[in-house]
Structure formats: C-alpha cells, structure tokens
Amino acid sequence: MTVGEGEGRLPRPEVVVLDVNETLSDMRPMADRFAEVGAPGHLAATWFASVLRDGFALAAAGTSAPFAQIAREMLRQQLAAADLELDRDLDAAADHVLDGFGQLDVHPDVVPGLTALDELGVRLVTLTNGATSVAEGLLERAGARDRIERFMSVDEAGLWKPAPASYHYALEQCGVTASEAMLVAVHPWDVDGARRAGLRAAWVRRAGRGDAPSPSYPGHFEAPELTVESLVELADRMRD
Amino acid sequence: MTVGEGEGRLPRPEVVVLDVNETLSDMRPMADRFAEVGAPGHLAATWFASVLRDGFALAAAGTSAPFAQIAREMLRQQLAAADLELDRDLDAAADHVLDGFGQLDVHPDVVPGLTALDELGVRLVTLTNGATSVAEGLLERAGARDRIERFMSVDEAGLWKPAPASYHYALEQCGVTASEAMLVAVHPWDVDGARRAGLRAAWVRRAGRGDAPSPSYPGHFEAPELTVESLVELADRMRD
C-alpha cells in the first residue's frame, strides 16, 4: 500500500458511492466473449466506448434509454458491420457476448477494500448506468453483497451519469448532502460529473497490465480529490 | 439514385445544417495514420468513439472542452496504453495521427450533392463539434468552399452536439426557426439531438463497404425524417 507521504488522513465520507462496471468488475473476459463467437477481442473496447457514447449523447439531449438496449444494439451493429465470420447467427452471437456481463468477477482488491471500508463505518452503495441486478449478482458471486447498503441504477434518475440529476438521485436515496458523499470510480468522466455535482470523488487507477503504464488523468476533466491504486488503499487513507 | 416510390417531394428547408466529421469527410485514412506510427488501424474506431464519449460526458455535465484537446489526450492514452512498438515518441506519433484530420477528403457524393442543393436555393451551413478551420480546409480542398454560407463550431455554443444549446446556437446564427432547418448527418446521435431540439433531420446512410451491410438506425434514438444514401439523393428528394 502506498500512502502519499505527508498527505495525512482523509476526512471520512458518510457514504461511498461506487461505480460498478470496470470499477468493481474486471471486464477483460468480455474480449474473450468476442473471440468465442469469431470476432476480434479488440472490438470489446470499441463496443464499450460506443455504448457509453450513445448513452451520454442521450443524457446531453436530456433523455435516456436502458443500458441493456443500447449495449445490444451497438453489439449487433459491430458484429454485423465488421468483416467477420461469426460461428453463429447475429442474435446468438450478441446473446453470448452480453451473457458475459452476468458472469464477471470483481478485481482482487474489491472484497478486502469493501470489507475495510465497511469496518470503518462508511456506508457503501452502488450507482450504475446499467441494471442493479448486474451489480447485485457481481457482489453476490464475490460473497460481498452484504457490504452494500443499497444498489442504485440511473434508470430511476431518468438520466445517465455524468448528468447531475443522476448523482442527485443517489444523494436523495441515501439521505445525505453532496459533501457527505464520495463517488469512487475508475472512469474519469464519472469523477468529473460527480465533482461538478458537488460530491467528493476518488479516482481508482489500477496498475497497468504487463509493461503498459498506468493511465493518466485527462486534463479536460475536473481532477479527483484523490487518486488511489485500489479500494484497499482508499480504506487505508481513511484510517486514523 | 433511388427515390422511395410514393414518398413524393420533400418540403424544402430554408437551411441545411451539415455535420462535418464522417458526414462530409471520409475518415478511413485515419486508420492508415495509426498504422504509419506502428499502431493497429483498428484503434482509430476506438479512439474516435472515446473522443465523442468524453465530449458528450462534458455536455451531459453541462460544460465542454475543445475537440482538439480531447482528441490529443485520448490518442496519447491509447498509444501509450496499448502493447505497441511505436516508431517514434508518443508526442510525435500523436502529431502524425492528428495531422491526418487536416488532410482528409470529402466522400464522392459531397461536391455534386452540395452543388445540387445550392442550385435549389437551399442555404448550406456546417456545424461541427470540432474546429471550423478543419471544415473550411476540407471544403477548400474539395473546391466547394463557396457553397457554404457559414462555418460554425459548437465552441461558441458552449456545449457539444447533441445538447439542445448547440443546435439553438446554429439556428440563431442563421436567423431561422427550428422547423426551417434540417440537420444532415451520418451519426444517429446527431439526428436524435437535432430532432429533440425541434429541427428536421436527415440521416445519411452510405452503402456498406464490400460485403458489409449498411448500418441500421439504432432504436434508442429518435428516427430521422428521412434516410438517404447520399447528399445527391437528398437534393433529388427536394427537387420538384
């Protein structure tokens, strides 16, 4: 654990609002799903970026659609448009990839991190642009479901993160003010949106894989209050 | 030219508001730029989707940053993170890819399409999430700069398309009401945003390349008023 020297203990938030996809779940197996139907694994990255692009476009325009609907539509389009030889028909291929969402595992630091945060008395909730059932299943499989007080989705907020209304919805559900809540995510756009909505925010920057360097935080987004390598480090920073 | 049977002539808009990237420009050479610095060409699609994703995230959060800034940041990140052997340093590689934007050509239907629309008396303007200089250079190289009455960027609107403010800015600049203007774009998110802002909108669906099928319009977006295969077909639909 690396705690920045001289940074001191972090004021403990009342509630930690956890993003789900990629922040808690390790999404690398999604690339394998593409390969399993006869498509290149690198399409997974383009696909996920396209799903967020379209969801955010709707948020910018003041409306929304369910994550699962956009995810399936973008997937069908990518699997149809690319010069691919799928080993099954388009709908079956899309089903196979999408089913992967329901079988992801959490990153290695998630269970010890949530346990440590819970033991510090911090209330833990999730807020996803996807379905609450995906988050519940993920934590259930990890044996950490009971650490989470509330599973929330932007479906009920009417706008995806990073629209301010999505964070305000979460605050209202938890009965806290913006300054009492800290958003925790691997996605800079989520950190930025939370900061602009008045919440505190931590950016989880997990170490790069292999020789790849850790990602750097984009200059076009509001900076996080702090950057941690893991949820375990986040808990450490809040410990007396 | 295929004009749908029985669809009749389309009421002519006062102003056609043209999207620029991909709608007018053929962006396929951007993939070659990645290859030229030692990166796989398929990164171009992920990169462009990521740039729009981050720009739309800022729009959803109520703010914005310049296209060129986000484009460079995302490019540096992708070129650094992937397991690549670049043939030059990161900044030089990013420069080489970004320079490609300034050397794109228009699709084959663009000049005859703009000419036909202009001759019908329709006012032609561009509205881009990028810089007006990119659009001006593109049309200049194509010898069709004079067909365009006004080159606009969302930079002055303060929010990227598809936020309603971006389209309202264009209407104000052109001195027309929403129903007098028609947005023309290859991107469904742009068609959707324009429709929700009250404009008319046409979706340009150019034929798929090789055996690839033409893309289908996503069900999560507002449908266009009409779909055309080219700007030439758009002009034909407005002809008496």
Side-chain angles (χ1 to χ4, degrees), chain A residues 42 46 52-54 56-61 63 65 69-70 73-74 77 80-81 162-164 189 192 196 212-213 216 218-221, chain B residues 42 46 52-54 56-61 63 65 69-70 73-74 77 80-81 162-164 189 192 196 212-213 216 218-221:
Chain A
H42 66 71
T46 311
L52 295 180
R53 177 199 65 202
D54 277 19
F56 296 175
L58 289 170
T63 185
Q69 182 189 350
I70 299 180
E73 192 106 39
M74 290 296 101
Q77 205 151 101
W189 54 259
D192 175 88
R196 291 185 198 275
S216 58
H220 50 269
F221 286 137
Chain B
H42 66 72
T46 311
L52 296 179
R53 177 199 65 201
D54 276 18
F56 296 175
L58 289 170
T63 186
Q69 182 188 352
I70 299 179
E73 192 104 41
M74 290 294 103
Q77 206 151 102
W189 53 260
D192 175 87
R196 291 184 197 275
S216 58
H220 49 270
F221 285 137

Side-chain angles (χ1 to χ4, degrees), chain B residues 107-146:
Chain B
H107 293 283
D109 60 294
V110 169
V111 174
L114 296 182
T115 303
L117 288 164
D118 190 17
E119 288 172 354
L120 284 171
V122 176
R123 294 164 58 194
L124 299 173
V125 300
T126 60
L127 178 66
T128 179
N129 279 337
T132 53
S133 58
V134 170
E136 290 179 281
L138 177 72
L139 275 301
E140 182 76 42
R141 286 191 299 284
R145 194 185 191 291
D146 293 348

Side-chain angles (χ1 to χ4, degrees), chain A residues 80-234:
Chain A
D83 189 18
L84 305 177
E85 296 207 10
L86 299 178
D87 70 352
R88 59 199 89 185
D89 74 33
L90 193 55
D91 282 311
D95 283 341
H96 182 73
V97 174
L98 292 170
D99 285 350
F101 257 118
Q103 296 180 36
L104 296 176
D105 291 318
V106 294
H107 293 283
D109 61 293
V110 169
V111 173
L114 296 182
T115 302
L117 288 164
D118 190 19
E119 287 171 354
L120 284 170
V122 176
R123 295 165 57 194
L124 300 172
V125 301
T126 60
L127 178 65
T128 179
N129 279 337
T132 53
S133 58
V134 170
E136 289 181 282
L138 177 73
L139 274 300
E140 181 76 41
R141 284 191 300 283
R145 193 184 192 290
D146 293 349
R147 301 290 178 188
I148 307 296
E149 174 185 312
R150 186 184 291 269
F151 292 90
M152 294 177 286
S153 165
V154 297
D155 287 347
E156 292 104 75
L159 291 174
W160 282 29
K161 294 186 289 180
S166 64
Y167 303 104
H168 294 156
Y169 163 77
L171 297 176
E172 194 184 326
Q173 291 293 306
C174 296
V176 293
T177 63
S179 62
E180 292 170 330
M182 176 184 278
L183 184 283
V184 175
V186 296
H187 302 120
W189 54 259
D190 206 352
V191 168
D192 175 88
R195 294 289 280 167
R196 291 185 198 275
L199 285 75
R200 299 169 63 190
W203 182 44
V204 181
R205 180 190 56 185
R206 291 197 177 84
R209 307 270 149 61
D211 291 337
S214 293
S216 58
Y217 194 88
H220 50 269
F221 286 137
E222 289 272 317
E225 179 185 355
L226 82 159
T227 299
V228 293
E229 302 283 332
S230 68
L231 296 186
V232 174
E233 185 187 345
L234 180 67

Side-chain angles (χ1 to χ4, degrees), chain B residues 199-240:
Chain B
L199 285 74
R200 299 169 64 190
W203 182 43
V204 181
R205 179 190 57 186
R206 291 196 176 85
R209 306 271 149 61
D211 291 338
S214 293
S216 58
Y217 194 88
H220 49 270
F221 285 137
E222 289 272 316
E225 180 186 354
L226 82 160
T227 298
V228 294
E229 301 285 332
S230 69
L231 296 186
V232 174
E233 185 187 343
L234 180 65
D236 281 349
R237 292 292 304 278
M238 294 178 189
R239 196 163 281 135
D240 289 316

Side-chain angles (χ1 to χ4, degrees), chain B:
Chain B
M1 240 73 57
T2 316
V3 178
E5 284 180 8
E7 293 180 32
R9 187 176 80 77
L10 202 72
R12 209 173 285 169
E14 165 82 12
V15 175
V16 158
V17 182
L18 297 149
D19 173 50
V20 177
N21 291 332
E22 285 192 313
T23 295
L24 300 182
S25 60
D26 182 348
M27 284 183 59
R28 283 175 297 170
M30 296 305 287
D32 301 333
R33 292 258 160 181
F34 279 80
E36 283 158 17
V37 301
H42 66 72
L43 278 186
T46 311
W47 169 62
F48 193 60
S50 305
V51 174
L52 296 179
R53 177 199 65 201
D54 276 18
F56 296 175
L58 289 170
T63 186
S64 75
F67 186 95
Q69 182 188 352
I70 299 179
R72 175 175 293 274
E73 192 104 41
M74 290 294 103
L75 189 50
R76 282 178 53 90
Q77 206 151 102
Q78 289 200 323
L79 293 176
D83 188 17
L84 305 178
E85 295 206 12
L86 299 179
D87 70 353
R88 61 199 88 185
D89 75 31
L90 193 55
D91 281 312
D95 283 341
H96 182 74
V97 174
L98 292 170
D99 285 349
F101 258 118
Q103 295 179 36
L104 296 176
D105 291 316
V106 294
H107 293 283
D109 60 294
V110 169
V111 174
L114 296 182
T115 303
L117 288 164
D118 190 17
E119 288 172 354
L120 284 171
V122 176
R123 294 164 58 194
L124 299 173
V125 300
T126 60
L127 178 66
T128 179
N129 279 337
T132 53
S133 58
V134 170
E136 290 179 281
L138 177 72
L139 275 301
E140 182 76 42
R141 286 191 299 284
R145 194 185 191 291
D146 293 348
R147 300 290 179 188
I148 307 296
E149 174 185 312
R150 186 185 290 268
F151 292 90
M152 294 177 286
S153 165
V154 297
D155 287 348
E156 293 105 75
L159 290 174
W160 283 27
K161 296 185 289 180
S166 63
Y167 303 104
H168 294 157
Y169 164 77
L171 297 176
E172 194 184 326
Q173 291 293 306
C174 296
V176 293
T177 62
S179 62
E180 292 171 329
M182 176 184 279
L183 185 282
V184 175
V186 297
H187 302 121
W189 53 260
D190 206 351
V191 168
D192 175 87
R195 294 289 281 167
R196 291 184 197 275
L199 285 74
R200 299 169 64 190
W203 182 43
V204 181
R205 179 190 57 186
R206 291 196 176 85
R209 306 271 149 61
D211 291 338
S214 293
S216 58
Y217 194 88
H220 49 270
F221 285 137
E222 289 272 316
E225 180 186 354
L226 82 160
T227 298
V228 294
E229 301 285 332
S230 69
L231 296 186
V232 174
E233 185 187 343
L234 180 65
D236 281 349
R237 292 292 304 278
M238 294 178 189
R239 196 163 281 135
D240 289 316

